[in-house]
């Protein structure tokens, strides 16, 4: 088994001290030749250090990006900002930090969302699962291999850790040589921690007491909604503030000189699921404000770069330092601490944070060697042809136009739910809602591969059918329409500035199929849905629909009204992406003539925009 990182540090310290002592005497042969009176003199003991520096490096939201590769496009990753992705490049930065500062001066932590997000993640969860199949032992997860090699000291649980079920998560946990922390992931029956809440790391200082660093991990309460099917009755997820108030004092009581949090939770105090849960989604700033005794927080979940951010604790007035290193390995957060020995205990005298960009360094050759075979398996898988397409289908305009590629998703959802409804529910009108996850998605004319479909439906969502009344459906669509900025009649519509009002991102914006409607962007929010009809007849408030919808939305994701509490007419554990692959495989050819229907449009005071 690999050497425990802490044991490695202790060994290095002992080796350094021993080596220094030998060097000071000039070695045994020199000492033997020295005069007797000289040998009787005892060397002065080394002066005990009173100051020390150390760093905590942080990653978050890696989402199984190992290499600088885009599986959806089957080529090296690139974007307009020149970012790179993958832990292989980040590992090189970490090696540089350790070389510059000393192995005994560096800890490495992650803030969650590790095992979901790429085709590689899906492959090792579903195609060749790490849990094994047919009684055979499964492979090791590439992220466990990479992170063990990089010598992580701890990682927080992210909400996407639960996407493939608890069994996959537990198997991943067993493959890691570091703890997965979740102080607010509790067993639903006992209300005891289902994962370690914290770990304490010792930084060895020669000739002085160890620096004790307590690392507390907190995950996102939204798991209870977003992965309800996987965790209901098994785990509960109280708030970050509530659990931090319990465990931070415990870490201080254990003698921790430094308390460091790794939170899979943003830092703006916002919540996407409204009042569906009594706990805040993005609560890292609230934890810093309301819980005394915290020195710094590694922030995750929201996929933004915040190099350094300071929050003052309301009780003590102390500054809490926060940093969020974007996602996917785009950045590495570096927390640098200076400490001073005071009455036998270490006290922080200075702390700073920054983010480093790995796009200027090469991928770590050892990680490439370890995981190249796994990577090639996934490349082969995503390039598997499943059928053909009669014309190019692009999602480039899907956020403001009804385009055929979105109707493909709606068709699969509608057909699947229809086939699974009871006789009574089959008599109800059936519609579908779906979001434009990726504006860059494109299914080309000709051969269609798994990667083409995966690039369109990038999440591992499953499918529900839920019942809404006509009035509730209108509320749902009005909520979706707040995605657009208001553009008064007579004003030119610029698609570059039209969308994402109210921090409502593309994955949050649902369009409907099966009903017809206009979205009047000249109107104020809440009054934009016009001419809502079903089969040419106006939808009535008491009319009941079955709505095909993904599990994230069905369980309250993005805060849509009514849907989380709506009656369930259908549910499935099959991923929608796989249903789409199966559809093309069964049909042989993907033909927009089979599903493309233009049923919604944007207007300004009733005049079509496009």
């Amino acid at each position: 088994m690999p050497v425990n990182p802490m044991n490695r540090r202790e060994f290095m310290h002992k080796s350094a001290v021993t080596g220094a002592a030998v060097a000071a005497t000039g070695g045994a042969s020199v000492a033997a030749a020295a005069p007797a009176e000289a040998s009787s003199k005892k060397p002065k003991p080394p002066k005990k250090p009173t100051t020390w520096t150390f760093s905590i490096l942080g990653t978050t939201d890696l989402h199984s990006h190992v290499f600088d590769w885009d599986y959806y496009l089957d080529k090296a990753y690139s974007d307009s900002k020149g970012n790179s992705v993958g832990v292989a490049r980040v590992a090189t930065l970490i090696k540089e930090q350790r070389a510059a500062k000393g192995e005994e001066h560096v800890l490495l932590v992650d803030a969650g969302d590790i095992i979901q997000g790429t085709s590689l993640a899906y492959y090792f969860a579903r195609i060749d699962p790490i849990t094994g199949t047919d009684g055979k032992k499964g492979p090791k997860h590439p992220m466990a291999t990479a992170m063990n090699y990089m010598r992580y000291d701890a990682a927080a649980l992210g909400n996407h850790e639960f996407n493939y079920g608890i069994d996959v998560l537990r198997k991943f946990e067993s493959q890691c040589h570091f703890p997965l922390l979740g102080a607010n992931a509790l067993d639903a029956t006992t209300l005891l921690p289902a994962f370690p809440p914290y770990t304490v790391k010792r930084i060895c200082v020669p000739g002085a007491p160890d620096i004790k660093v307590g690392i507390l991990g907190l995950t996102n309460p939204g798991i209870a909604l977003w992965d309800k099917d996987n965790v209901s009755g098994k785990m509960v997820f109280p708030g970050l503030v509530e659990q931090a108030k319990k465990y931070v004092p415990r870490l201080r009581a254990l003698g921790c000189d430094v308390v460091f949090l790794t939170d899979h939770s943003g830092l703006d105090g916002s919540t996407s699921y409204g009042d569906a849960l009594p706990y805040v989604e993005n609560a890292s700033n609230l934890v810093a404000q309301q819980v005394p005794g915290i020195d710094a927080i590694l922030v995750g979940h929201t996929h933004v770069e915040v190099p350094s951010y300071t929050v003052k604790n309301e009780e003590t007035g102390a500054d809490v330092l926060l940093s969020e290193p974007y996602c996917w390995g785009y950045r590495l957060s570096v927390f640098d601490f200076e400490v001073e020995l005071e009455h036998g205990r270490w006290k922080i005298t200075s702390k700073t944070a920054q983010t480093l960009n790995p796009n200027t360094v090469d991928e770590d050759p050892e990680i490439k060697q370890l995981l190249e075979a796994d990577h090639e398996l996934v490349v082969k898988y995503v390039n598997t042809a499943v059928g053909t397409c009669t014309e190019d289908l692009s999602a480039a305009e899907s956020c403001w136009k009804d385009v055929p590629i979105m109707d493909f998703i709606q068709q699969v959802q509608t057909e699947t739910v229809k086939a699974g409804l009871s006789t009574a529910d089959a008599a109800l009108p059936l519609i579908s809602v779906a979001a434009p996850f990726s504006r860059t998605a494109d299914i080309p004319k000709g051969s269609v591969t798994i990667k083409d479909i995966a690039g369109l439906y990038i999440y591992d969502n499953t499918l529900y059918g839920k019942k809404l009344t006509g009035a509730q459906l209108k509320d749902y669509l009005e909520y979706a329409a707040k995605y657009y900025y208001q553009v008064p009649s007579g004003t030119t519509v610029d698609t570059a500035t039209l969308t994402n009002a109210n921090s409502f991102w593309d994955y949050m914006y649902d369009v409907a199929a099966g009903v017809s409607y206009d979205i009047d962007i000249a109107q104020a929010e809440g009054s934009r849905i016009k001419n809502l009809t079903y089969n040419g007849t106006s939808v009535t408030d008491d009319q009941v629909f079955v709505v095909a919808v993904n599990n994230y939305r069905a369980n309250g994701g993005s805060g849509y009204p009514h849907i989380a509490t709506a009656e369930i007419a259908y549910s499935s554990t099959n991923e929608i992406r796989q249903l789409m692959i199966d559809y093309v495989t069964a049909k042989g050819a993907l033909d927009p003539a089979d599903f493309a229907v233009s049923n919604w449009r944007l207007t300004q005071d009733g005049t079509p925009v496009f």
Side-chain angles (χ1 to χ4, degrees):
M1 292 182 63
V3 178
N4 180 284
M6 218 66 262
N7 292 340
R8 183 183 289 107
R9 293 189 183 96
E10 292 170 0
F11 174 78
M12 290 183 68
H13 282 305
K14 291 175 182 176
S15 299
V17 173
T18 303
V22 172
T25 61
S29 60
V30 175
E37 59 270 19
S39 64
S40 65
K41 295 181 180 179
K42 293 183 179 180
K44 292 182 179 180
K47 186 178 180 181
K48 290 185 177 182
T50 58
T51 61
W52 197 257
T53 61
F54 71 95
S55 299
I56 300 179
L57 311 181
T59 56
T60 191
D61 295 272
L62 295 172
H63 286 285
S64 286
H65 286 84
V66 175
F67 295 132
D68 195 14
W69 190 260
D70 188 330
Y71 290 103
Y72 301 139
L73 298 179
D74 195 29
K75 64 180 183 179
Y77 180 86
S78 65
D79 64 19
S80 61
K81 298 180 181 178
N83 289 310
S84 63
V85 299
V87 291
R89 284 185 186 270
V90 175
T92 302
L93 282 186
I94 291 167
K95 280 186 174 180
E96 290 178 352
Q97 287 284 305
R98 286 172 170 154
K101 297 174 178 178
E103 294 277 340
E104 70 277 19
H105 292 255
V106 177
L107 298 175
L108 177 59
V109 177
D110 184 80
D113 276 5
I114 301 168
I115 61 171
Q116 178 277 342
T118 62
S119 296
L120 180 139
Y122 183 80
Y123 187 90
F124 287 95
R126 292 287 186 260
I127 306 304
D128 188 10
I130 60 174
T131 50
T133 54
D134 300 325
K136 297 179 180 178
K137 184 180 178 181
K140 193 165 187 176
H141 200 291
M143 289 302 293
T145 299
M147 295 175 79
N148 289 341
Y149 166 79
M150 295 164 70
R151 306 200 316 272
Y152 273 80
D153 292 286
L157 293 165
N159 55 284
H160 284 290
E161 259 65 85
F162 295 84
N163 284 175
Y164 297 119
I166 292 174
D167 288 347
V168 171
L169 173 55
R170 288 299 191 191
K171 187 62 178 180
F172 175 71
E173 179 187 30
S174 73
Q175 294 178 343
C176 294
H177 300 161
F178 53 90
L180 300 182
L181 306 178
N184 59 329
L186 311 181
D187 181 275
T189 302
T190 65
L191 298 184
L192 295 173
F195 294 85
Y198 59 82
T199 185
V200 177
K201 310 300 292 188
R202 291 177 177 268
I203 297 176
C204 301
V205 182
D210 294 347
I211 302 168
K212 294 177 69 175
V213 181
I215 303 172
L216 176 67
L218 294 162
T219 191
N220 206 287
I223 296 166
L225 288 177
W226 304 323
D227 268 299
K228 182 179 179 181
D229 296 340
N230 291 327
V231 302
S232 182
K234 300 174 183 177
M235 293 185 191
V236 294
F237 302 87
L240 285 85
V241 171
E242 291 78 3
Q243 292 302 100
K245 285 182 176 179
K246 177 178 180 179
Y247 284 104
V248 170
R250 186 172 300 184
L251 288 169
R252 290 297 182 184
L254 289 172
C256 290
D257 304 290
V258 176
V259 172
F260 184 89
L261 271 58
T262 173
D263 294 0
H264 194 75
S265 179
L267 52 71
D268 64 357
S270 67
T271 295
S272 69
Y273 41 73
D275 59 0
L277 291 173
Y279 307 114
V280 175
E281 177 182 354
N282 297 309
S284 291
N285 60 322
L286 304 179
V287 172
Q289 288 172 358
Q290 298 176 24
V291 184
I294 299 167
D295 295 303
I297 302 177
L298 175 66
V299 178
H301 183 57
T302 48
H303 292 207
V304 295
E305 182 182 7
V306 182
S308 181
Y309 185 78
T310 301
V311 173
K312 192 171 291 294
N313 185 266
E314 295 171 342
E315 183 176 326
T316 65
D319 287 338
V320 182
L321 184 63
L322 301 90
S323 180
E324 182 173 3
Y326 216 161
C327 62
W328 299 3
Y330 281 155
R331 300 290 185 272
L332 174 70
S333 281
V334 180
F335 294 83
D336 291 316
F337 299 89
E338 293 181 2
V339 292
E340 183 177 351
L341 194 60
E342 186 177 282
H343 306 299
R345 293 288 300 272
W346 293 100
K347 178 182 178 181
I348 295 176
T349 55
S350 172
K351 55 187 176 184
T352 60
Q354 62 175 317
T355 52
L356 303 180
N357 192 334
N359 67 351
T360 60
V361 300
D362 294 329
E363 293 184 329
D364 185 284
E366 292 295 329
I367 290 184
K368 291 192 72 171
Q369 182 177 355
L370 286 169
L371 297 177
E372 192 66 37
D374 290 343
H375 169 70
E376 291 301 328
L377 282 173
V378 179
V379 169
K380 181 178 179 181
Y381 164 71
V382 299
N383 280 285
T384 303
V386 294
T388 61
C389 190
T390 60
E391 63 183 80
D392 184 78
L393 302 179
S394 171
E397 297 182 314
S398 59
C399 295
W400 53 85
K401 282 185 181 179
D402 188 347
V403 294
I405 199 169
M406 288 299 299
D407 291 328
F408 168 41
I409 301 172
Q410 308 281 28
Q411 176 75 2
V412 171
Q413 292 188 169
T414 300
E415 284 193 2
T416 304
V417 172
K418 183 178 181 179
L421 291 176
S422 67
T423 302
D425 288 338
L428 296 173
L430 173 62
I431 67 172
S432 175
V433 293
F437 292 143
S438 173
R439 302 188 192 194
T440 61
D442 186 273
I443 297 178
K445 181 179 179 180
S447 179
V448 176
T449 63
I450 288 173
K451 74 174 185 292
D452 298 324
I453 298 173
L456 172 61
Y457 209 100
I458 60 177
Y459 296 108
D460 298 304
N461 295 328
T462 57
L463 188 59
Y464 268 80
K466 286 209 161 187
K467 296 181 182 180
L468 293 181
T469 66
Q472 291 173 330
L473 176 60
K474 188 172 186 297
D475 287 347
Y476 190 102
L477 296 175
E478 286 286 6
Y479 185 85
K482 72 177 187 176
Y483 170 74
Y484 297 107
Y485 285 94
Q486 187 175 11
V487 185
S489 181
T491 305
T492 300
V493 177
D494 181 358
T495 57
T497 58
L498 175 63
T499 63
N500 305 116
N502 302 295
S503 296
F504 212 61
W505 310 117
D506 294 356
Y507 78 91
M508 302 169 73
Y509 172 57
D510 275 354
V511 295
V515 288
S516 296
Y517 61 102
D518 296 339
I519 304 173
D520 196 330
I521 57 175
Q523 307 304 315
E525 292 176 18
S527 303
R528 292 178 173 175
I529 302 301
K530 310 294 183 183
N531 305 318
L532 179 59
T533 62
Y534 176 77
N535 282 347
T537 303
S538 295
V539 171
T540 61
D541 286 352
D542 59 353
Q543 195 170 2
V544 178
F545 293 85
V546 174
V547 182
V549 60
N550 69 51
N551 68 301
Y552 175 82
R553 199 76 83 234
N555 290 326
S558 302
Y560 274 78
H562 311 302
I563 196 73
T565 57
E567 181 183 348
I568 299 172
Y570 170 88
S571 66
S572 170
T573 58
N574 294 321
E575 284 93 358
I576 294 169
R577 182 198 304 111
Q578 189 60 48
L579 294 171
M580 294 163 64
I581 293 169
D582 294 343
Y583 176 94
V584 178
T585 303
K587 290 277 188 180
L590 189 61
D591 187 349
D594 295 334
F595 50 78
V597 178
S598 183
N599 64 285
W600 68 271
R601 62 183 182 176
L602 297 186
T603 64
Q604 283 178 298
D605 280 338
T607 302
V609 174
F610 302 110

